Amino acid sequence: MDLSRTPRTTLKRLPKRGSHEREVIDRILDEGFICHVGFVVDGQPFVIPTGYARVEDRLIVHGSQASRMLRALGQGIDVCVTVTLIDGLVLARSAFHHSMNYRSVMVFGRARVIDDRAEKSQALFALSEHMIPGRWKDVREPNEAELQQTTVLSLPITEASAKIRTGPPLDDEGDYDLPVWAGVIPLRMIADEPIQDPRLPSEITTPSYVSDYDRRSK
């Protein structure tokens, strides 16, 4: 299913790289960790990185009650959220045509504060599972004081678009004969060996969702 195009989500530069397919947008959002939230307060623009999760047709963002971003967004102001995944460095024969292979999403809209306790807990569960599937069942859940200190926002994914670049460099035709290496350096996120907390008792073993962590499985 495609999302409806709006003036804000219609790509003007290199539109052939754009997509309004919901499946494409969801797949990118599900792989990322960090979004950048752009908004304006009293004429001052802000762009703040934060963790997020997708729950069906919503983005969930959370943070401290003291967060300026969350206080502002909770008032229903316009917001632009971006997520970008870098898949490779594209080395062309000319400096001008160097590029990156990437997948990105922009979401526009207005967020609402999640006040209902059950919905809030479910949103925090979704955030935990997005980052480390299986972790929530092993840890202590937030208590009432911690829930009170946490603001959770829900942003509908109804006005959004993706932009994607893949493939080799695109040089000027006259540059293809230059004796310069050209191609792509693929990049991906990998997990190194887990580092144990120094205060962890020796009898506690490393769970499989830690030892086998692989973001590519998302």
Side-chain angles (χ1 to χ4, degrees), residues 50-52 60-64 67 69-70 124 127 150-153:
T50 187
Y52 73 93
I60 301 298
V61 179
H62 87 301
S64 167
S67 165
M69 175 187 72
L70 296 178
L124 294 174
L127 282 158
T150 304
T151 297
V152 182
L153 299 178

Side-chain angles (χ1 to χ4, degrees), residues 35-62:
C35 67
H36 288 79
V37 183
F39 58 100
V40 176
V41 176
D42 297 331
Q44 171 65 52
F46 297 92
V47 178
I48 297 179
T50 187
Y52 73 93
R54 181 184 69 86
V55 178
E56 298 178 349
D57 60 353
R58 301 175 296 146
L59 279 185
I60 301 298
V61 179
H62 87 301

Side-chain angles (χ1 to χ4, degrees), residues 138 158 163:
D138 286 349
T158 53
K163 193 172 184 180

Side-chain angles (χ1 to χ4, degrees), residues 132-217:
I132 310 174
R135 181 63 174 172
W136 187 267
K137 63 180 175 56
D138 286 349
V139 299
R140 176 181 65 77
E141 295 185 16
N143 58 35
E144 287 299 324
E146 291 165 340
L147 285 173
Q148 289 297 320
Q149 295 171 36
T150 304
T151 297
V152 182
L153 299 178
S154 173
L155 175 68
I157 309 171
T158 53
E159 188 179 4
S161 63
K163 193 172 184 180
I164 300 167
R165 189 203 189 280
T166 61
L170 301 173
D171 274 302
D172 294 337
E173 195 61 38
D175 288 337
Y176 279 94
D177 292 332
L178 292 174
V180 178
W181 189 91
V184 177
I185 301 174
L187 300 176
R188 62 184 176 91
M189 181 181 294
I190 62 171
D192 285 336
E193 288 294 317
I195 301 173
Q196 180 173 295
D197 185 337
R199 295 185 61 175
L200 189 72
S202 58
E203 66 271 15
I204 296 181
T205 59
T206 304
S208 59
Y209 58 74
V210 173
S211 59
D212 300 336
Y213 190 86
D214 187 347
R215 198 62 182 171
R216 292 172 299 175
S217 64

